[in-house]
């Protein structure tokens, strides 16, 4: 699968870039490489691909392949959440609930939790 994702990713397909990034993140069909995973997630995210934004946010949240940066993680989760991605809405909810990368706001956390749960 990684070989096919690579061909499509090299042609600029955001979904394939994200999936190839997952292959590198998990070491499935490729050597495990967090730097390459983050690079591919960034390429997908820069195209506005919600899953790519969420994947890159997770990298920033954990400091895997990029510098740990809670603000950037929350920003990227927010971009993906605005596109209706439930996992991003839930992750952004956790940021607001715990004050990670954004000011703590339990009202906003509750709103995001409801959005994610309604899907």
């Amino acid at each position: 699968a990684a070989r096919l994702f690579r061909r499509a990713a090299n042609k600029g397909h955001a979904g394939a870039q994200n999936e190839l990034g997952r292959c590198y993140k998990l070491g499935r069909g490729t050597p495990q490489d967090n730097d390459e995973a983050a690079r591919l997630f960034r390429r997908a995210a820069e195209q506005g691909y919600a899953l790519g934004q969420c994947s890159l946010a997770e990298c920033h949240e954990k400091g895997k392949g990029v510098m740990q940066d809670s603000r950037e993680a929350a920003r990227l989760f927010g971009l993906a959440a605005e596109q209706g991605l439930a996992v991003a809405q839930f992750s952004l909810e956790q940021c607001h609930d715990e004050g990670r990368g954004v000011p703590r706001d339990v009202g906003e956390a509750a709103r995001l939790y409801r959005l994610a749960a309604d899907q």
Side-chain angles (χ1 to χ4, degrees), residues 12-78:
H13 189 278
Q17 290 164 346
N18 190 70
E19 290 305 313
L20 184 58
R22 286 176 38 80
C23 290
Y24 277 101
K25 177 182 175 183
L26 302 171
R28 291 193 179 152
T30 66
Q32 197 279 329
D33 185 337
N34 287 324
D35 293 340
E36 183 63 8
R39 187 185 73 77
L40 287 157
F41 294 149
R42 182 173 310 285
R43 286 178 60 196
E46 287 173 348
Q47 293 182 65
Y49 187 64
L51 282 173
Q53 293 164 338
C54 194
S55 297
L56 184 57
E58 291 170 356
C59 291
H60 278 288
E61 193 171 52
K62 297 173 180 148
K64 300 271 186 163
V66 293
M67 294 294 293
Q68 193 279 332
D69 185 340
S70 296
R71 277 193 203 151
E72 182 64 2
R75 184 187 77 79
L76 289 162
F77 282 137

